Structures are given as structure tokens and as C-alpha cells.
Amino acid sequence: MTSTQFQQISDFVWIYPTHPDKHKVQPAVGAVITPTQTVLYDAGNSPTHARKIAHALDTIHAHPVRLVIYSHFHWDHIFGAQVFDAPVIAHRICADRVQRHYIERPWSREYLQQQIIERPHMSAIYTSLIQLIPWDTFEVIAPSIVFDEPIIHLELDGVTLQLEHIGGRHADDSTILRVLEDRVMLLSDTFYPPFGQAGADLDMVQRFLDEQYTFYVDGHNEIFTHQSLTAWRNSPLRTR
């Protein structure tokens, strides 16, 4: 599998993988493809990334994207949403973060150049964003479907999606997605440390480990099985 193809890991779940070059900051995107529609878990780090995802969906003859789920508000997971022309669902905290951090701020080349001066520790990311985003046509898509409950279920063509607001150290708005019939869990960055810090959130990993699940999809690394994620959690050589 290359970084521009979807990998099918269960009956309904396909994964567009993270880019092998971690400096690209290009996370994995999940697609739940039912008999009539496609639901995306995250939307890519930019319109360019999202268009590659859309092309890859066409290649596997996926049904149209009818819904996008935001795992959390960080730009690398949501800045491609405008490409899909579909409603976005997110937890209330995520929707508030998108509004305050992106929509209410004048994101542009000029804004990012000023941010580099004011926040030099973020200069590498802001410089990448200046180059990555077509700012003249760019739009941040706010969630139009917002939920407050800890857990909600979506029933789509006999496929049950369970969204759980799980929070965590990396981002307090994080939501994971369980595809119940397929025993797949999409985690995004839930057990990553906060930006600039080291050490995975092992309590978070323990919180969602469940031997009934076959696959766990990490936002920026490999797809874990229950056995491999358990082994990773217990390894003194783990990274992240």
C-alpha cells in the first residue's frame, strides 16, 4: 500500500494512511463505506490532501461522502473539509475550538507570518502551513451538527457508528469512532502527548483497550491490532 491509496481493513472500514514522512504532518483518514454512502473520520490537512483522498475514494468506487466527523480541532485533521461539500459533525468542545481558533481569526499568509514572529517555537509548522494551503480559496468548515452527549450512535445502512467524546491530554475535544459491527476503533491522536511534550498517555490507551476490537487506527502511525497495541503500551521502548 502506498500513501495515496485506501487500505480496506474490515467489511466497511477503509484507511487512507498517514504519510511516511512525519514532517508532512499528514494524518491517516478513515472512511466508513456503507451500501449507499461514505462517512469520513477527519478530512485531511489541506485541500490538496483532501483532493488526493477524494481521488482515492473514486478509485475504489466509494459512494459519495455524506458526512465528515472531526476527531478534534487540530488543523492537520480538518483543513481539507471544504473539498467534500458534506456536513461536519463534532463534539461541542471541538466546534467551539474551531470557531475560536480558526474562524474568528484572520488566517492567511500575513497572519501566519505575524504568528511566526510572536510564537517562534511554532515557526516550522506555520511556515509549512503558508506553503501548504491555497489561501486565496481556503475556507475552514465549521461543524454544522454538534453533539453534547458523551456517546452518540449513528445507524447507517445497518452499520453502527459510535462516537465517544474521550478528551485527553493531547486535545480535550477528542472524539473516537467505533465501528461496532466491524470491531474497529479509530483513535486519531487521543493518546499523543500535548504539543512539545513527551510521553504517550498510557492511561488513555488503557481506557479504550478492548479485546473485542480487532483493529485500532492511530492518527500518525501504524494500524494496531489488540495484541500489538497492548504490547506497545507495555514496551519500555515505545515512542510518541
Side-chain angles (χ1 to χ4, degrees):
M1 179 186 62
T2 71
S3 60
T4 58
Q5 297 175 336
F6 271 94
Q7 174 189 5
Q8 185 174 15
I9 64 171
S10 66
D11 286 347
F12 299 107
V13 180
W14 298 68
I15 304 299
Y16 190 92
T18 183
H19 198 284
D21 179 355
K22 302 306 178 187
H23 293 96
K24 297 288 188 182
V25 197
Q26 184 174 294
V29 172
V32 181
I33 302 175
T34 79
T36 66
Q37 60 191 298
T38 297
V39 175
L40 292 183
Y41 181 70
D42 284 337
N45 70 2
S46 64
T48 299
H49 185 198
R51 281 190 287 272
K52 292 178 181 178
I53 293 166
H55 176 73
L57 287 171
D58 288 341
T59 299
I60 60 174
H61 306 293
H63 298 290
V65 174
R66 299 301 189 197
L67 183 68
V68 175
I69 301 166
Y70 282 173
S71 67
H72 63 300
F73 78 99
H74 291 168
W75 66 270
D76 53 319
H77 296 263
I78 72 169
F79 271 16
Q82 71 183 86
V83 167
F84 298 106
D85 193 27
V88 172
I89 185 171
H91 189 267
R92 175 74 61 185
I93 299 174
C94 178
D96 290 344
R97 298 283 187 273
V98 171
Q99 182 69 29
R100 289 195 297 110
H101 285 267
Y102 303 125
I103 293 176
E104 293 180 3
R105 297 181 184 182
W107 282 75
S108 64
R109 295 179 185 88
E110 294 73 22
Y111 174 76
L112 288 169
Q113 288 164 349
Q114 183 62 35
Q115 289 298 300
I116 290 171
I117 297 171
E118 296 176 4
R119 306 176 68 190
H121 65 288
M122 295 287 288
S123 61
I125 289 177
Y126 289 152
T127 299
S128 295
L129 272 170
I130 289 172
Q131 300 168 349
L132 186 65
I133 303 297
W135 293 104
D136 293 342
T137 57
F138 177 66
E139 179 183 4
V140 177
I141 303 300
S144 57
I145 305 170
V146 177
F147 65 96
D148 293 291
E149 299 86 348
I151 295 176
I152 64 169
H153 292 86
L154 304 176
E155 302 288 343
L156 305 171
D157 301 324
V159 183
T160 308
L161 308 186
Q162 178 179 292
L163 282 65
E164 179 181 359
H165 171 239
I166 202 166
R169 294 170 53 215
H170 182 77
D172 64 357
D173 60 323
S174 290
T175 291
I176 64 173
L177 171 62
R178 295 180 178 92
V179 184
L180 298 189
E181 289 81 6
D182 281 15
R183 300 187 298 172
V184 172
M185 204 179 296
L186 288 81
L187 305 172
S188 192
D189 298 354
T190 48
F191 58 99
Y192 282 62
F195 180 77
Q197 297 184 25
D201 189 341
L202 300 183
D203 289 338
M204 176 66 76
V205 179
Q206 189 60 42
R207 180 176 170 182
F208 54 61
L209 266 174
D210 185 337
E211 62 185 9
Q212 296 183 53
Y213 280 78
T214 304
F215 293 112
Y216 302 80
V217 182
D218 184 325
H220 291 275
N221 287 277
E222 69 269 31
I223 297 171
F224 289 103
T225 63
H226 182 81
Q227 182 179 11
S228 66
L229 183 56
T230 302
W232 177 87
R233 183 192 185 282
N234 296 331
S235 171
L237 301 177
R238 78 180 74 85
T239 58
R240 213 172 291 119

